[in-house]
């Protein structure tokens, strides 16, 4: 049976954070990053996303019970202290409400930011899609691939960027005229983002961050995934050609020096050519220059094994509070097995009682004694 519970959320939090810690260590040590390849790091990020997206207990999962003190803490958090029309209200219920409110607030902020940016582009942007040299350079970059891009010159950009999933738009700063070579590499970079569906990937990770807004690991995951996307596009633009790589890096440096010196406002609704932090740009350059190094197989296999063990282990083993009668202290007397009973409701939810005390509402009796009495409501 596939179950979702407080315990599965706990395992999801522990496993995802362990993986993200390892990924962070890889990013902080460039020798490791160069020796295993950024594509391998992308695999690790995918494992993290999968674990967060599927916080469930699988049929093959084994429960390991927490110590009595931790079990007591979990019992207090999940114990329904108030009952409203048959619904038990516990500390965990309150946390779920706060969780939902946080998601709605973050979703509203995201939609508001997108709306403001759309209005800003519409009011101040200048469409130069049909103008030269933009039109001919874009046609050269796209070649035989579908070319449905718009080109907008927009003020207050800290870097050229791409917006839009169905109707892609490449935005370039209005304050400075970019050279033909800079425009070529800019369009090449941003069109590759579109062809690789990176905007959609970024939106998915952003949505994940809205759902798990309370988890700091998601913010770190978003930053690292964006860096991975930029590194991948860098390699695609350079095409393993030293001369092209030099021209590409020179163009990025020129754009950074001009626009960052102006301290333009960053718009975070798309994918940009340049990262805001110079250290990340330096890391991208070093990765681009060191892309031909062979993968260090032993290190790769070791890291892969650790990641897989954490990922699969978090499904195989579930940390569960000890709900055996001897460990439950709700009244002044120690309850026995016979005092526990469940009432089966029409909606498939069980109401668990210990004597006259309501314990919880649950959709499974897997964690209670097998001989617990069950009454039909």
């Amino acid at each position: 049976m596939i179950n979702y519970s407080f315990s599965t959320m706990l395992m999801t939090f522990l496993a995802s954070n362990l993986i993200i810690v390892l990924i962070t260590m890889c990013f902080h040590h460039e020798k490791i990053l160069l020796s295993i390849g950024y594509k391998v790091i992308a695999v690790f990020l995918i494992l993290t996303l999968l674990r967060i997206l599927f916080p469930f207990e699988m049929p093959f999962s084994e429960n390991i019970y927490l110590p009595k003190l931790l079990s007591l803490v979990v019992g207090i958090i999940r114990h329904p202290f108030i009952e409203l029309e048959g619904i038990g209200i516990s500390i965990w219920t309150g946390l779920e409400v706060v969780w939902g409110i946080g998601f709605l607030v973050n979703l509203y902020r995201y939609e508001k930011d997108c709306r403001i940016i759309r209005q800003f582009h519409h009011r101040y942007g200048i469409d130069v899609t049909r103008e030269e040299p933009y039109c001919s350079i874009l046609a050269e970059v796209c070649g035989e691939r579908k070319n449905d891009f718009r080109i907008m010159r927009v003020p207050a950009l800290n870097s050229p960027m791409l917006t839009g999933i169905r109707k892609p738009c490449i935005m370039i700063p209005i304050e400075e005229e970019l050279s033909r070579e800079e425009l070529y590499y800019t369009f090449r970079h941003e069109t590759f983002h579109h062809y690789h569906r990176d905007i959609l990937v970024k939106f998915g990770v952003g949505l994940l961050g809205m759902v798990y807004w309370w988890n700091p690991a998601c913010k770190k995951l978003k930053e690292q995934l964006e860096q991975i996307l930029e590194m991948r596009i860098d390699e695609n633009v350079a095409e393993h050609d030293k001369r092209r790589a030099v021209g590409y890096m020179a163009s990025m440096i020129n754009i950074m020096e001009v626009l960052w010196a102006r301290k333009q406002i960053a718009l975070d609704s798309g994918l940009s050519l340049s990262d805001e932090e110079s250290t990340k740009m330096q890391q991208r350059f070093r990765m681009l220059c060191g892309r031909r190094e062979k993968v260090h197989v032993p290190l790769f296999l070791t890291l892969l094994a650790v990641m897989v063990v954490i990922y699969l282990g978090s499904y195989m083993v579930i940390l569960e509070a000890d709900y055996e009668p001897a460990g439950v202290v709700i009244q002044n007397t120690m309850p026995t097995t016979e005092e526990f009973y469940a009432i089966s409701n029409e909606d498939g939810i069980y109401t668990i009682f210990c004597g006259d005390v309501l314990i919880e509402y649950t959709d499974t009796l897997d964690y209670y004694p097998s001989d617990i009495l069950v009454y039909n409501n």
Side-chain angles (χ1 to χ4, degrees), residues 1-2 13 19 31 52 84 88 91 129 151 192 195 199 210 214 225 235 238 242 265 280 297 340 343 374:
M1 180 185 296
I2 298 178
F13 181 80
I19 295 177
K31 290 184 178 180
I52 296 175
L84 297 177
I91 296 176
T129 307
I151 304 174
F192 276 155
Y195 294 136
I199 285 283
M210 295 178 207
W214 46 266
L225 184 60
E235 185 177 85
K242 183 177 180 180
I265 302 172
K280 291 184 178 180
V297 177
F340 277 82
I343 297 179
V374 179

Side-chain angles (χ1 to χ4, degrees), residues 164-350:
I165 297 175
R166 292 185 298 104
K167 298 179 179 180
C169 177
I170 300 174
M171 294 186 297
I172 56 178
I174 200 172
E175 294 84 358
E176 294 292 335
E177 287 288 347
L178 302 181
S179 68
R180 186 176 185 88
E181 183 180 33
E182 290 169 348
L183 285 172
Y184 174 83
Y185 285 117
T186 295
F187 293 166
R188 191 172 177 84
H189 183 103
E190 304 304 343
T191 54
F192 276 155
H193 271 310
H194 176 71
Y195 294 136
H196 286 88
R197 302 291 187 269
D198 288 345
I199 285 283
L200 190 60
V201 173
K202 182 179 179 180
F203 172 76
V205 175
L207 183 61
L208 186 65
M210 295 178 207
V211 175
Y212 294 97
W213 57 268
W214 46 266
N215 189 345
C218 286
K219 181 178 180 180
K220 192 65 179 178
L221 177 64
K222 179 182 177 181
E223 294 175 357
Q224 292 180 335
L225 184 60
E226 289 179 351
Q227 182 75 339
I228 285 290
L229 294 177
E230 295 300 326
M231 289 178 178
R232 182 184 64 176
I233 296 301
D234 290 343
E235 185 177 85
N236 288 333
V237 172
E239 292 183 334
H240 301 284
D241 183 272
K242 183 177 180 180
R243 187 173 181 178
R244 186 184 293 273
V246 171
Y248 173 59
M249 288 189 290
S251 296
M252 283 198 291
I253 292 173
N254 291 336
I255 294 172
M256 287 166 54
E257 287 179 345
V258 172
L259 296 180
W260 289 10
R262 292 177 174 272
K263 297 181 180 179
Q264 302 293 352
I265 302 172
L267 301 178
D268 191 34
S269 65
L271 287 163
S272 62
L273 177 65
S274 307
D275 280 305
E276 188 173 343
E277 301 177 14
S278 60
T279 54
K280 291 184 178 180
M281 290 300 300
Q282 293 171 6
Q283 186 184 50
R284 286 170 58 185
F285 288 158
R286 283 190 285 268
M287 284 296 298
L288 188 60
C289 294
R291 66 188 183 279
R292 294 185 179 180
E293 294 188 10
K294 294 183 179 180
V295 174
H296 192 280
V297 177
L299 180 59
F300 160 69
L301 293 178
T302 301
L303 284 174
L304 181 62
V306 171
M307 296 290 184
V308 172
V309 167
I310 294 175
Y311 179 75
L312 295 180
S314 65
Y315 282 111
M316 297 178 66
V317 176
I318 302 295
L319 297 179
E320 180 70 37
D322 187 358
Y323 291 119
E324 290 295 327
V328 180
V329 183
I330 297 178
Q331 299 174 311
N332 293 329
T333 58
M334 186 67 68
T336 63
T337 304
E338 288 74 17
E339 292 178 305
F340 277 82
Y341 62 93
I343 297 179
S344 177
N345 301 301
E346 294 180 356
D347 57 1
I349 301 298
Y350 296 95

Side-chain angles (χ1 to χ4, degrees), residues 27 42-43 99 163 212 333:
F27 268 81
V43 174
W99 187 352
T163 61
Y212 294 97
T333 58

Side-chain angles (χ1 to χ4, degrees), residues 66-76:
L66 296 171
K68 297 297 182 182
L69 181 59
L70 292 177
S71 296
L72 179 61
V73 172
V74 174
I76 292 174

